[in-house]
Each structure stands twice: as structure tokens, then as C-alpha cells.
Amino acid sequence: MEYIPGSRMEKHIISGGKPSRSVTRVMSVTSGKGGVGKTHTVTNLGISLASLGYSVLVLDADLGLANVDVLLNLKPKGTLHDVLKGSMGLDDILLEGPGGISIIPAASGVEELHELRSAEKLLLLEEIERVAHRYDYLLIDTPAGIGTDVMYFNSAAAEVVCVINGEPTSLTDTYALIKVLSTTYGEKNFSVVVNNVADETEAAAAFKKLTRTVERFLKVNVRYLGWVPADGTVRECVMQQQAISAEFPSSKAALSLAAIARKVADQKPEVTVKGGMQFFFRQLLEMTSYGEEASY
Ligand SMILES: Nc1ncnc2c1ncn2[C@@H]1O[C@H](COP(=O)(O)OP(=O)(O)OP(=O)(O)O)[C@@H](O)[C@H]1O
Ligand SMILES: [Mg+2]
């Protein structure tokens, strides 16, 4: 492993094992096809990062349909509607999840970000920024597909993590997602997690298939973060509304997610390319306001 002076690893050593915070890393976890394991990955990656000593905030960016809180059996105290009305602050609706992660739940029924009025958008993003600033990681669970909000969150995040499985539709849909993000939004760096596959060979084959097409037709970098096996314990946890990394840390899937978390933590973040959290929120606001202004 390469030793980089001034890096998180150096701080890790200086501070005796517990990492210290400098910038908030903003990573979106996304997919072309639905149901491939984004929410499972984002929550358990968050818990694994927390067990390494990092503070983690998960934003459920599916503004229309609640997801993370249901998966973890958490009861939202309020909704983003309350924040938008001004009757509650974001801190009031923040949930404490397993393993010490914090969660901003996505209340069902809030309009998509681009449908909110400018003042509402500003309030919402300012509130998220103020809270996210306190954390080492802001992990964003996006809805699937290539809808407008998905594109905003992905293109504003410094790092885009695509979750794929071995199915051809997952690969073609992810190719479509990367194509739109790179050609329309200028995103050039992607990471991939291969989820729900039988073994490392299947994971490597799926990653190779994707990168072969991507590298042939698009000018982007795709790096491999790791793979998570198909593990019956995942489904059991989903049914019990538990997080596998908190309840069964020695299961196959949890161990793989822990390895992915270590790889993420050891990586040099992409902040030099796309800026930190302030950049993320400024960009998000500019993008979501553009259509509105342009239509006057
Ligand atoms: N590694 C795995 N092993 C076994 N089952 C898995 C694994 N990963 C995900 N699953 C199954 O896939 C289901 C869907 O996962 P998840 O809800 O995380 O997908 P998603 O991509 O967030 O879906 P959506 O696009 O609807 O938001 C889970 O409920 C679980 O049953
Ligand atoms: Mg989901």
C-alpha cells in the first residue's frame, strides 16, 4: 500500500488508529437497473466505514419513496415536508441507525428536487449541507435509472459508485447511466461494486464486460471497488429489517462490504478533481435551478 504524507493513513497513524476528519467525502451509490442492491450496499458500507472510526451520514435521495428507513425499521420523527414548511429542522428528523450511522430519511410524497421552488430547494440543500459538514462521509442512496434527480445527485457527488450484478440488463442499464452522466454532465470517474454474484470469477466477468463496452465507446475511468456474494443472510436481514453488517458482521456479504469500506477509506478521494462538499451543494443548486430560470 502506498504511503501518502498528509493522507488519511498518516492521520490514522498519528491519531493512534482512529481517523480524524478533514473534508466530507460525498459519494453517491447508484445503478441503472432497480433492485440490484443499492440500499443494502449504502447502509452496510456506511456501517462498515463507521466501524473503522469514521462518522457517516446517509442521505436517502429517493425523495418520492422512502427506502432506507424501511429497510432498517426506523421510524421517522418528521419528514422533509416538515423541514420545507419550516416546522422542523433537519436535526429534528435525523435518525440514528445501526452501527452509529446517521440517516436523513426520504419522506414519501415530497416532490422531486427539480420540482421544488427555488426558495424551498435552497432551504433544503442549506440544511443538508449544514448537517453533512459534521461527518466524514456523506453517502447518497439514489433511486435507479436516469431520471433528472438521479442525474443531479450523481453528477454533483465527487464520487459515483455504480452497483451492478451479473445480469445483462444491469450491465446495459449501467452503461446507459454512465453514458448520460459522462456525455451530458461531464462526469469522468466511476467506481463499481458487483453485488449478489456467486463468486469472484462471476464478479470479475461482469466488471470486465461493463468496462470493455464503456472503454470502447466512452472516455471515462472505471475502477473496481470489490464484490459482494449472493448471501441468504442478506434477504433474512431485509425481512427482519436489520443491517447485515451490524447484526452478522462475520457473514460472507458483511465481510466483503467491510473489505470494500477499507478500500474506500484507503483511496485518495476525488476531491482534487471535483471539489468537496461546498462544491457539491453549489453545483446541485445551480443544476436544479437552471431549468427553472431558463423557462422564464
Ligand atoms: N448480496 C446479496 N445477496 C442476496 N440478496 C441480495 C443481495 N443484495 C441484495 N439482495 C436482495 O435484493 C433486494 C433488493 O436490494 P436493495 O433494496 O438494496 O436494492 P436497490 O437497488 O436499492 O433497489 P431500488 O432500485 O428499488 O431502490 C434485497 O431486498 C435483497 O433481498
Ligand atoms: Mg433502494
Side-chain angles (χ1 to χ4, degrees):
M1 199 186 302
E2 195 191 351
Y3 177 75
I4 308 159
S7 69
R8 172 86 63 187
M9 200 189 333
E10 187 191 45
K11 287 182 206 152
H12 208 94
I13 295 161
I14 292 168
S15 60
K18 182 162 179 3
S20 60
R21 177 160 52 93
S22 46
V23 287
T24 307
R25 271 176 80 175
V26 183
M27 304 173 77
S28 62
V29 176
T30 194
S31 71
K33 182 177 152 69
V36 295
K38 291 177 298 298
T39 305
H40 153 73
T41 303
V42 95
T43 45
N44 292 296
L45 177 63
I47 293 166
S48 304
L49 284 166
S51 74
L52 293 175
Y54 296 95
S55 53
V56 177
L57 177 64
V58 171
L59 168 65
D60 190 343
D62 197 338
L63 298 184
L65 297 165
N67 216 338
V68 179
D69 53 318
V70 179
L71 197 77
L72 298 175
N73 196 23
L74 300 171
K75 304 276 173 279
K77 292 169 270 185
T79 70
L80 288 175
H81 258 312
D82 300 307
V83 177
L84 288 171
K85 275 189 307 188
S87 59
M88 284 177 121
L90 199 59
D91 276 307
D92 304 321
I93 68 159
L94 209 63
L95 297 171
E96 197 185 317
I101 61 169
S102 301
I103 294 149
I104 300 176
S108 301
V110 169
E111 296 89 336
E112 294 212 314
L113 194 58
H114 68 277
E115 286 169 3
L116 297 176
R117 292 198 310 272
S118 276
E120 290 176 322
K121 236 177 293 188
L122 190 65
L123 174 81
L124 188 64
L125 294 179
E126 271 181 352
E127 276 285 282
I128 300 175
E129 181 175 6
R130 188 180 58 73
V131 171
H133 193 65
R134 307 197 294 253
Y135 293 84
D136 295 316
Y137 284 88
L138 170 61
L139 304 182
I140 304 165
D141 183 16
T142 79
I146 51 175
T148 321
D149 275 3
V150 181
M151 290 300 146
Y152 290 152
F153 280 110
N154 281 330
S155 54
E159 300 167 66
V160 179
V161 179
C162 301
V163 180
I164 62 170
N165 60 22
E167 293 171 14
T169 43
S170 155
L171 301 179
T172 49
D173 292 356
T174 302
Y175 174 78
L177 172 78
I178 293 178
K179 185 175 176 186
V180 178
L181 274 170
S182 62
T183 52
T184 312
Y185 294 87
E187 183 62 49
K188 294 293 169 223
N189 296 296
F190 300 86
S191 298
V192 168
V193 169
V194 188
N195 181 46
N196 210 355
V197 283
D199 52 30
E200 193 164 9
T201 314
E202 193 186 327
F207 180 72
K208 202 169 160 198
K209 253 191 224 159
L210 176 70
T211 46
R212 220 181 10 227
T213 324
V214 166
E215 279 163 8
R216 186 154 164 224
F217 297 107
L218 308 169
K219 286 191 173 55
V220 300
N221 304 312
V222 184
R223 61 180 169 183
Y224 186 56
L225 269 186
W227 66 286
V228 181
D231 182 343
T233 319
V234 174
R235 196 174 137 68
E236 275 170 41
C237 284
V238 170
M239 295 311 288
Q240 301 294 324
Q241 295 176 287
Q242 293 173 331
I244 192 168
S245 297
E247 300 298 329
F248 301 97
S250 355
S251 61
K252 284 187 295 174
L255 289 174
S256 308
L257 284 150
I260 293 171
R262 282 195 299 277
K263 190 159 182 181
V264 167
D266 285 344
Q267 267 174 353
K268 201 162 167 282
E270 296 286 349
V271 285
T272 43
V273 186
K274 289 194 69 188
M277 199 180 56
Q278 270 76 20
F279 179 87
F280 168 73
F281 284 101
R282 205 177 51 235
Q283 177 145 318
L284 201 52
L285 193 67
E286 278 169 12
M287 280 192 291
T288 55
S289 301
Y290 176 74
E292 205 171 331
E293 278 150 23
S295 63
Y296 284 116

mmCIF file of all heavy atoms in Angstrom, residues 145-173:
data_model
loop_
_atom_site.group_PDB
_atom_site.id
_atom_site.type_symbol
_atom_site.label_atom_id
_atom_site.label_comp_id
_atom_site.label_asym_id
_atom_site.label_seq_id
_atom_site.Cartn_x
_atom_site.Cartn_y
_atom_site.Cartn_z
ATOM 1 N N GLY A 145 -31.961 4.340 -12.315
ATOM 2 C CA GLY A 145 -32.352 4.891 -13.608
ATOM 3 C C GLY A 145 -31.642 6.167 -13.980
ATOM 4 O O GLY A 145 -30.606 6.526 -13.401
ATOM 5 N N ILE A 146 -32.241 6.861 -14.968
ATOM 6 C CA ILE A 146 -31.593 8.077 -15.457
ATOM 7 C C ILE A 146 -32.539 9.283 -15.359
ATOM 8 O O ILE A 146 -32.523 10.176 -16.184
ATOM 9 C CB ILE A 146 -31.051 7.889 -16.899
ATOM 10 C CG1 ILE A 146 -32.124 7.321 -17.828
ATOM 11 C CG2 ILE A 146 -29.848 6.959 -16.922
ATOM 12 C CD1 ILE A 146 -31.691 7.227 -19.284
ATOM 13 N N GLY A 147 -33.371 9.281 -14.306
ATOM 14 C CA GLY A 147 -34.268 10.413 -14.054
ATOM 15 C C GLY A 147 -33.466 11.655 -13.669
ATOM 16 O O GLY A 147 -32.290 11.566 -13.327
ATOM 17 N N THR A 148 -34.126 12.808 -13.720
ATOM 18 C CA THR A 148 -33.430 14.082 -13.508
ATOM 19 C C THR A 148 -32.745 14.176 -12.152
ATOM 20 O O THR A 148 -31.579 14.547 -12.075
ATOM 21 C CB THR A 148 -34.447 15.246 -13.628
ATOM 22 O OG1 THR A 148 -35.334 14.931 -14.681
ATOM 23 C CG2 THR A 148 -33.757 16.548 -13.913
ATOM 24 N N ASP A 149 -33.466 13.820 -11.078
ATOM 25 C CA ASP A 149 -32.853 13.942 -9.747
ATOM 26 C C ASP A 149 -31.664 12.992 -9.590
ATOM 27 O O ASP A 149 -30.667 13.337 -8.968
ATOM 28 C CB ASP A 149 -33.887 13.642 -8.648
ATOM 29 C CG ASP A 149 -34.693 14.889 -8.307
ATOM 30 O OD1 ASP A 149 -34.475 15.924 -8.973
ATOM 31 O OD2 ASP A 149 -35.518 14.822 -7.382
ATOM 32 N N VAL A 150 -31.778 11.810 -10.158
ATOM 33 C CA VAL A 150 -30.681 10.837 -10.089
ATOM 34 C C VAL A 150 -29.438 11.470 -10.707
ATOM 35 O O VAL A 150 -28.331 11.401 -10.162
ATOM 36 C CB VAL A 150 -31.045 9.549 -10.878
ATOM 37 C CG1 VAL A 150 -29.925 8.532 -10.785
ATOM 38 C CG2 VAL A 150 -32.337 8.952 -10.386
ATOM 39 N N MET A 151 -29.642 12.119 -11.842
ATOM 40 C CA MET A 151 -28.518 12.743 -12.547
ATOM 41 C C MET A 151 -27.918 13.884 -11.721
ATOM 42 O O MET A 151 -26.710 14.024 -11.642
ATOM 43 C CB MET A 151 -28.982 13.294 -13.901
ATOM 44 C CG MET A 151 -29.307 12.217 -14.880
ATOM 45 S SD MET A 151 -27.839 11.190 -15.176
ATOM 46 C CE MET A 151 -28.586 9.633 -15.414
ATOM 47 N N TYR A 152 -28.776 14.694 -11.104
ATOM 48 C CA TYR A 152 -28.283 15.818 -10.292
ATOM 49 C C TYR A 152 -27.392 15.306 -9.162
ATOM 50 O O TYR A 152 -26.274 15.761 -8.981
ATOM 51 C CB TYR A 152 -29.432 16.602 -9.667
ATOM 52 C CG TYR A 152 -30.246 17.409 -10.646
ATOM 53 C CD1 TYR A 152 -31.589 17.675 -10.382
ATOM 54 C CD2 TYR A 152 -29.686 17.921 -11.804
ATOM 55 C CE1 TYR A 152 -32.351 18.413 -11.261
ATOM 56 C CE2 TYR A 152 -30.447 18.647 -12.686
ATOM 57 C CZ TYR A 152 -31.781 18.901 -12.412
ATOM 58 O OH TYR A 152 -32.537 19.624 -13.264
ATOM 59 N N PHE A 153 -27.913 14.364 -8.395
ATOM 60 C CA PHE A 153 -27.155 13.874 -7.233
ATOM 61 C C PHE A 153 -25.861 13.206 -7.680
ATOM 62 O O PHE A 153 -24.814 13.416 -7.091
ATOM 63 C CB PHE A 153 -28.000 12.907 -6.386
ATOM 64 C CG PHE A 153 -28.954 13.618 -5.476
ATOM 65 C CD1 PHE A 153 -30.318 13.585 -5.696
ATOM 66 C CD2 PHE A 153 -28.478 14.335 -4.386
ATOM 67 C CE1 PHE A 153 -31.201 14.260 -4.855
ATOM 68 C CE2 PHE A 153 -29.353 15.004 -3.534
ATOM 69 C CZ PHE A 153 -30.713 14.969 -3.766
ATOM 70 N N ASN A 154 -25.930 12.411 -8.741
ATOM 71 C CA ASN A 154 -24.728 11.709 -9.193
ATOM 72 C C ASN A 154 -23.688 12.661 -9.754
ATOM 73 O O ASN A 154 -22.498 12.509 -9.500
ATOM 74 C CB ASN A 154 -25.084 10.675 -10.261
ATOM 75 C CG ASN A 154 -25.659 9.419 -9.656
ATOM 76 O OD1 ASN A 154 -25.320 9.059 -8.532
ATOM 77 N ND2 ASN A 154 -26.522 8.753 -10.377
ATOM 78 N N SER A 155 -24.136 13.636 -10.535
ATOM 79 C CA SER A 155 -23.127 14.479 -11.163
ATOM 80 C C SER A 155 -22.562 15.495 -10.179
ATOM 81 O O SER A 155 -21.456 15.983 -10.373
ATOM 82 C CB SER A 155 -23.689 15.163 -12.399
ATOM 83 O OG SER A 155 -24.838 15.847 -12.051
ATOM 84 N N ALA A 156 -23.290 15.781 -9.117
ATOM 85 C CA ALA A 156 -22.756 16.720 -8.123
ATOM 86 C C ALA A 156 -21.850 16.021 -7.110
ATOM 87 O O ALA A 156 -20.958 16.640 -6.541
ATOM 88 C CB ALA A 156 -23.906 17.424 -7.403
ATOM 89 N N ALA A 157 -22.050 14.718 -6.898
ATOM 90 C CA ALA A 157 -21.217 13.987 -5.932
ATOM 91 C C ALA A 157 -19.793 13.860 -6.471
ATOM 92 O O ALA A 157 -19.585 13.725 -7.678
ATOM 93 C CB ALA A 157 -21.798 12.592 -5.699
ATOM 94 N N ALA A 158 -18.816 13.915 -5.577
ATOM 95 C CA ALA A 158 -17.420 13.808 -6.029
ATOM 96 C C ALA A 158 -17.115 12.417 -6.548
ATOM 97 O O ALA A 158 -16.279 12.245 -7.417
ATOM 98 C CB ALA A 158 -16.480 14.174 -4.886
ATOM 99 N N GLU A 159 -17.779 11.413 -6.007
ATOM 100 C CA GLU A 159 -17.508 10.036 -6.426
ATOM 101 C C GLU A 159 -18.815 9.303 -6.685
ATOM 102 O O GLU A 159 -19.724 9.356 -5.858
ATOM 103 C CB GLU A 159 -16.713 9.313 -5.333
ATOM 104 C CG GLU A 159 -15.372 10.005 -5.055
ATOM 105 C CD GLU A 159 -14.711 9.507 -3.785
ATOM 106 O OE1 GLU A 159 -14.333 8.330 -3.765
ATOM 107 O OE2 GLU A 159 -14.598 10.294 -2.827
ATOM 108 N N VAL A 160 -18.893 8.650 -7.838
ATOM 109 C CA VAL A 160 -20.102 7.910 -8.200
ATOM 110 C C VAL A 160 -19.796 6.408 -8.145
ATOM 111 O O VAL A 160 -18.919 5.923 -8.847
ATOM 112 C CB VAL A 160 -20.574 8.271 -9.630
ATOM 113 C CG1 VAL A 160 -21.821 7.485 -10.010
ATOM 114 C CG2 VAL A 160 -20.834 9.770 -9.751
ATOM 115 N N VAL A 161 -20.520 5.711 -7.284
ATOM 116 C CA VAL A 161 -20.332 4.259 -7.160
ATOM 117 C C VAL A 161 -21.528 3.567 -7.820
ATOM 118 O O VAL A 161 -22.671 3.753 -7.398
ATOM 119 C CB VAL A 161 -20.264 3.836 -5.669
ATOM 120 C CG1 VAL A 161 -20.095 2.324 -5.553
ATOM 121 C CG2 VAL A 161 -19.142 4.575 -4.947
ATOM 122 N N CYS A 162 -21.282 2.797 -8.874
ATOM 123 C CA CYS A 162 -22.362 2.077 -9.552
ATOM 124 C C CYS A 162 -22.429 0.659 -9.005
ATOM 125 O O CYS A 162 -21.414 -0.035 -8.935
ATOM 126 C CB CYS A 162 -22.101 1.984 -11.050
ATOM 127 S SG CYS A 162 -21.949 3.573 -11.862
ATOM 128 N N VAL A 163 -23.625 0.246 -8.614
ATOM 129 C CA VAL A 163 -23.824 -1.139 -8.181
ATOM 130 C C VAL A 163 -24.374 -1.924 -9.368
ATOM 131 O O VAL A 163 -25.361 -1.505 -9.989
ATOM 132 C CB VAL A 163 -24.808 -1.213 -6.983
ATOM 133 C CG1 VAL A 163 -25.015 -2.670 -6.547
ATOM 134 C CG2 VAL A 163 -24.290 -0.392 -5.815
ATOM 135 N N ILE A 164 -23.691 -3.035 -9.695
ATOM 136 C CA ILE A 164 -24.187 -3.887 -10.782
ATOM 137 C C ILE A 164 -24.299 -5.323 -10.263
ATOM 138 O O ILE A 164 -23.713 -5.654 -9.237
ATOM 139 C CB ILE A 164 -23.252 -3.869 -12.027
ATOM 140 C CG1 ILE A 164 -21.857 -4.425 -11.694
ATOM 141 C CG2 ILE A 164 -23.129 -2.469 -12.596
ATOM 142 C CD1 ILE A 164 -20.964 -4.658 -12.920
ATOM 143 N N ASN A 165 -25.086 -6.124 -10.975
ATOM 144 C CA ASN A 165 -24.998 -7.564 -10.725
ATOM 145 C C ASN A 165 -24.619 -8.202 -12.060
ATOM 146 O O ASN A 165 -24.316 -7.494 -13.017
ATOM 147 C CB ASN A 165 -26.287 -8.115 -10.105
ATOM 148 C CG ASN A 165 -27.500 -7.896 -10.980
ATOM 149 O OD1 ASN A 165 -27.377 -7.719 -12.189
ATOM 150 N ND2 ASN A 165 -28.674 -7.898 -10.386
ATOM 151 N N GLY A 166 -24.626 -9.516 -12.132
ATOM 152 C CA GLY A 166 -24.130 -10.150 -13.349
ATOM 153 C C GLY A 166 -25.116 -10.126 -14.516
ATOM 154 O O GLY A 166 -24.775 -10.520 -15.622
ATOM 155 N N GLU A 167 -26.353 -9.651 -14.297
ATOM 156 C CA GLU A 167 -27.365 -9.766 -15.344
ATOM 157 C C GLU A 167 -27.103 -8.801 -16.499
ATOM 158 O O GLU A 167 -26.717 -7.653 -16.262
ATOM 159 C CB GLU A 167 -28.751 -9.471 -14.756
ATOM 160 C CG GLU A 167 -29.203 -10.521 -13.764
ATOM 161 C CD GLU A 167 -30.463 -10.120 -13.012
ATOM 162 O OE1 GLU A 167 -31.140 -9.160 -13.443
ATOM 163 O OE2 GLU A 167 -30.747 -10.758 -11.997
ATOM 164 N N PRO A 168 -27.348 -9.255 -17.735
ATOM 165 C CA PRO A 168 -27.121 -8.391 -18.899
ATOM 166 C C PRO A 168 -27.862 -7.053 -18.799
ATOM 167 O O PRO A 168 -27.323 -6.018 -19.166
ATOM 168 C CB PRO A 168 -27.651 -9.222 -20.073
ATOM 169 C CG PRO A 168 -27.565 -10.634 -19.604
ATOM 170 C CD PRO A 168 -27.766 -10.606 -18.118
ATOM 171 N N THR A 169 -29.104 -7.077 -18.263
ATOM 172 C CA THR A 169 -29.860 -5.821 -18.177
ATOM 173 C C THR A 169 -29.191 -4.836 -17.211
ATOM 174 O O THR A 169 -29.224 -3.627 -17.428
ATOM 175 C CB THR A 169 -31.304 -6.075 -17.688
ATOM 176 O OG1 THR A 169 -31.253 -7.021 -16.616
ATOM 177 C CG2 THR A 169 -32.188 -6.573 -18.800
ATOM 178 N N SER A 170 -28.586 -5.355 -16.146
ATOM 179 C CA SER A 170 -27.893 -4.480 -15.205
ATOM 180 C C SER A 170 -26.712 -3.805 -15.907
ATOM 181 O O SER A 170 -26.437 -2.617 -15.712
ATOM 182 C CB SER A 170 -27.428 -5.296 -13.994
ATOM 183 O OG SER A 170 -26.335 -4.702 -13.370
ATOM 184 N N LEU A 171 -26.023 -4.575 -16.760
ATOM 185 C CA LEU A 171 -24.856 -4.034 -17.458
ATOM 186 C C LEU A 171 -25.265 -3.004 -18.508
ATOM 187 O O LEU A 171 -24.669 -1.928 -18.597
ATOM 188 C CB LEU A 171 -24.044 -5.167 -18.099
ATOM 189 C CG LEU A 171 -23.524 -6.228 -17.120
ATOM 190 C CD1 LEU A 171 -22.766 -7.322 -17.847
ATOM 191 C CD2 LEU A 171 -22.630 -5.603 -16.057
ATOM 192 N N THR A 172 -26.317 -3.316 -19.290
ATOM 193 C CA THR A 172 -26.720 -2.353 -20.331
ATOM 194 C C THR A 172 -27.290 -1.082 -19.698
ATOM 195 O O THR A 172 -27.005 0.024 -20.152
ATOM 196 C CB THR A 172 -27.772 -2.952 -21.300
ATOM 197 O OG1 THR A 172 -28.804 -3.555 -20.505
ATOM 198 C CG2 THR A 172 -27.181 -3.993 -22.218
ATOM 199 N N ASP A 173 -28.051 -1.231 -18.611
ATOM 200 C CA ASP A 173 -28.626 -0.049 -17.954
ATOM 201 C C ASP A 173 -27.528 0.795 -17.302
ATOM 202 O O ASP A 173 -27.615 2.024 -17.260
ATOM 203 C CB ASP A 173 -29.666 -0.463 -16.902
ATOM 204 C CG ASP A 173 -30.916 -1.068 -17.535
ATOM 205 O OD1 ASP A 173 -30.989 -1.092 -18.779
ATOM 206 O OD2 ASP A 173 -31.804 -1.519 -16.788
#
